[in-house]
Amino acid sequence: MRKLRNEELDRIDVEGYKLASKSPIIIVLDNIRSLNNIGSVFRTADAFLIEKIYLCGITAKPPHKDIHKTALGATDSVDWEHVDDTLELVERLKKEGCHVIAVEQAEDATQLNKYAPAKDKKQVLVFGNEVKGVVQNVVSASDEVLEIPQFGTKHSLNISVSVGVVVWDCWSKLNA
């Protein structure tokens, strides 16, 4: 096997991304502190043609050198918007017919491996703060809670890892 060079990967450019049909997935970042995590989420969103990222509360927004360092230009391709209040955004998206999903450890959470996304609704995935997670009022307002099964000693995954795991799982199930 020979490793492929970047020019052999046949990727679309930013203009092609803007014109491409998007996945029915929206990412909401609720008060994320780490600019490197934010940049990583942009890069993951670009990889799976995510429709939009909402940066809520204290979540930093582009342009910023630390976001750019990990996003590698994905802030130019992925549509994003800053919203002050996550709960207000969640309520608005629900009224627009989206299925809002908090990614959190909670009572009666659906384990990610058992989750079957509805193909007729946009999936809004809400990811929370690195320390406190998704705030309770947003969890309560969500249509569903997803939990990533974990089997080791740690209680959580890094936010950017969680986004990658959940987005890949949802994307692959929606495109099966």
Side-chain angles (χ1 to χ4, degrees):
M1 276 185 246
R2 180 183 62 82
K3 183 176 160 183
L4 296 175
R5 295 184 310 269
N6 284 347
E7 56 272 9
E8 294 179 282
L9 297 176
D10 195 32
R11 298 288 194 254
I12 58 177
D13 59 13
V14 172
E15 184 178 321
Y17 185 96
K18 296 284 188 188
L19 297 171
S21 179
K22 304 296 184 290
S23 301
I25 299 171
I26 295 169
I27 295 172
V28 174
L29 299 182
D30 180 28
N31 292 301
I32 304 303
R33 299 175 311 155
S34 166
L35 283 77
N36 290 324
N37 282 336
I38 297 164
S40 182
V41 170
F42 267 94
R43 204 152 127 208
T44 297
D46 177 276
F48 295 102
L49 288 168
I50 297 304
E51 182 175 311
K52 189 169 190 172
I53 297 174
Y54 286 96
L55 307 169
C56 299
I58 66 164
T59 305
K61 50 191 183 237
H64 192 285
K65 66 179 179 67
D66 289 333
I67 294 174
H68 181 72
K69 181 171 71 174
T70 50
L72 295 178
T75 56
D76 297 328
S77 56
V78 179
D79 192 22
W80 64 271
E81 179 181 339
H82 181 266
V83 176
D84 287 328
D85 190 293
T86 309
L87 183 59
E88 287 178 13
L89 172 66
V90 163
E91 290 170 347
R92 184 184 87 202
L93 292 171
K94 285 175 67 173
K95 285 179 185 168
E96 293 174 5
C98 296
H99 186 71
V100 177
I101 306 151
V103 179
E104 188 56 85
Q105 297 164 335
E107 294 174 339
D108 301 319
T110 301
Q111 296 298 298
L112 181 60
N113 55 311
K114 296 182 179 170
Y115 178 62
K119 294 188 178 191
D120 61 338
K121 287 187 172 192
K122 290 181 184 178
Q123 308 295 298
V124 176
L125 304 171
V126 182
F127 297 89
N129 177 277
E130 293 90 341
V131 176
K132 298 181 180 186
V134 180
V135 294
Q136 184 60 56
N137 63 354
V138 172
V139 171
S140 297
S142 297
D143 295 308
E144 189 166 4
V145 178
L146 279 184
E147 183 176 341
I148 301 169
Q150 297 176 61
F151 307 99
T153 63
K154 297 298 155 200
H155 299 268
S156 64
L157 297 169
N158 177 281
I159 174 72
S160 64
V161 172
S162 295
V163 171
V165 168
V166 174
V167 167
W168 162 249
D169 185 80
C170 288
W171 186 90
S172 64
K173 289 172 180 173
L174 288 167
N175 289 284

